Amino acid sequence: MLIKTAEFIVSNSDVTKCPKDILPEYAFIGRSNVGKSSLINMLTNHKNLAKTSGKPGKTQLINHFIINKNWYLVDLPGYGYARVSKSLKNKFQKFITDYFEKRLQLVNAFVLIDIRHEPQKIDLEFMQWMGEHGIPFSIVFTKADKLKPNTIEDHVNTYLNELLTNWEEAPRHFVTSSTSALGREDILQFIDSTNKEINALRNS
Ligand code: GTP
Ligand code: MG
């Protein structure tokens, strides 16, 4: 899919104030610093569309970007950085869980995982929560450029095997690097075909 235009629309912390139209949207979620905003810039081929930083906690709000004037990418704040609390609900800011629970336009969430690390409890808990709430998601492994190419597959398999101890099927997954644009075509292709399915359903 060709990205012709990518524009920032609005930032807010209240899901009820997100854009009212019914264009399909795709959100990026994961630990702080995992590379959500960088991935949005890589996918859209816009260096500074979403704000990135070497320090965790850069993205603080729900940010809507409209692509080709007919679908949205949504950049979200990360979890696992601000504070750790006993209840799962409090680990993720309320407005983020609200976004996932209430945003009917959300077609798929991309859950980002740093490919270098062993599976982390907070990410597994988050995916569990998504599953329990019936929210469709895919996994995006980030920062693949930081691994030796011949170890990438091992890291992915270790991760997916961990998921299979709890899930019947592993979710769809992508391996990416925002510096080399690895995975760009695969993700855009997935979004394009999903948008086409949605439009076909709406027109039938
Ligand atoms: P928050 O908004 O704080 O939750 O972080 P984020 O998940 O949006 O991460 P961000 O895109 O701001 O990137 C965090 C850091 O990781 C920055 O220094 C990026 O340059 C770096 N980074 C992101 N993706 C990649 C990647 O694919 N490869 C490499 N080498 N660095 C990356
Ligand atoms: Mg960010």
Side-chain angles (χ1 to χ4, degrees):
M1 172 174 34
L2 215 61
I3 304 293
K4 291 179 210 137
T5 57
E7 299 153 77
F8 169 73
I9 298 294
V10 66
S11 292
N12 65 73
S13 60
D14 180 350
V15 64
T16 65
K17 294 190 180 135
C18 289
K20 297 274 185 280
D21 45 46
I22 56 158
L23 298 177
E25 69 188 46
Y26 299 82
F28 296 81
I29 184 72
R31 291 178 149 238
S32 284
N33 215 43
V34 69
K36 302 175 290 296
S37 304
S38 304
L39 185 66
I40 288 177
N41 292 341
M42 181 271 261
L43 291 173
T44 56
N45 231 339
H46 280 59
K47 244 184 161 172
N48 300 311
L49 186 64
K51 295 200 178 91
T52 67
S53 166
K55 290 191 205 127
K58 180 70 178 176
T59 309
Q60 296 279 342
L61 296 165
I62 303 168
N63 299 287
H64 275 77
F65 300 97
I66 193 162
I67 314 300
N68 293 349
K69 306 205 187 289
N70 70 24
W71 51 280
Y72 288 108
L73 287 180
V74 181
D75 195 13
L76 293 169
Y79 52 70
Y81 163 66
R83 70 200 150 92
V84 178
S85 139
K86 278 173 219 121
S87 94
L88 176 65
K89 194 97 187 179
N90 291 342
K91 275 186 196 169
F92 308 107
Q93 289 179 54
K94 171 93 169 62
F95 74 86
I96 305 177
T97 50
D98 262 7
Y99 169 82
F100 285 113
E101 285 175 348
K102 297 183 183 152
R103 188 70 175 160
L104 299 176
Q105 292 89 333
L106 178 71
V107 173
N108 176 76
F110 291 104
V111 178
L112 274 62
I113 302 289
D114 188 323
I115 198 167
R116 293 171 295 174
H117 306 318
E118 294 283 307
Q120 310 276 311
K121 194 166 167 231
I122 194 163
D123 297 315
L124 299 172
E125 281 180 351
F126 184 74
M127 286 186 259
Q128 188 69 33
W129 183 87
M130 297 287 269
E132 283 162 7
H133 286 76
I135 301 158
F137 68 89
S138 324
I139 294 183
V140 173
F141 293 102
T142 64
K143 309 193 183 185
D145 56 282
K146 295 207 178 214
L147 281 185
K148 291 202 183 88
N150 60 356
T151 63
I152 289 177
E153 203 182 319
D154 284 350
H155 281 244
V156 169
N157 287 337
T158 303
Y159 205 95
L160 297 181
N161 284 335
E162 170 70 36
L163 286 178
L164 287 171
T165 60
N166 224 355
W167 293 76
E168 237 163 71
E169 255 181 87
R172 182 189 301 273
H173 70 275
F174 302 92
V175 176
T176 69
S177 162
S178 292
T179 54
S180 75
L182 176 72
R184 182 174 186 270
E185 286 309 316
D186 289 346
I187 293 181
L188 291 179
Q189 168 64 42
F190 166 66
I191 293 175
D192 192 33
S193 59
T194 308
N195 286 344
K196 283 180 178 143
E197 277 172 35
I198 291 169
N199 288 334
L201 277 174
R202 283 180 182 168
N203 294 332
S204 68

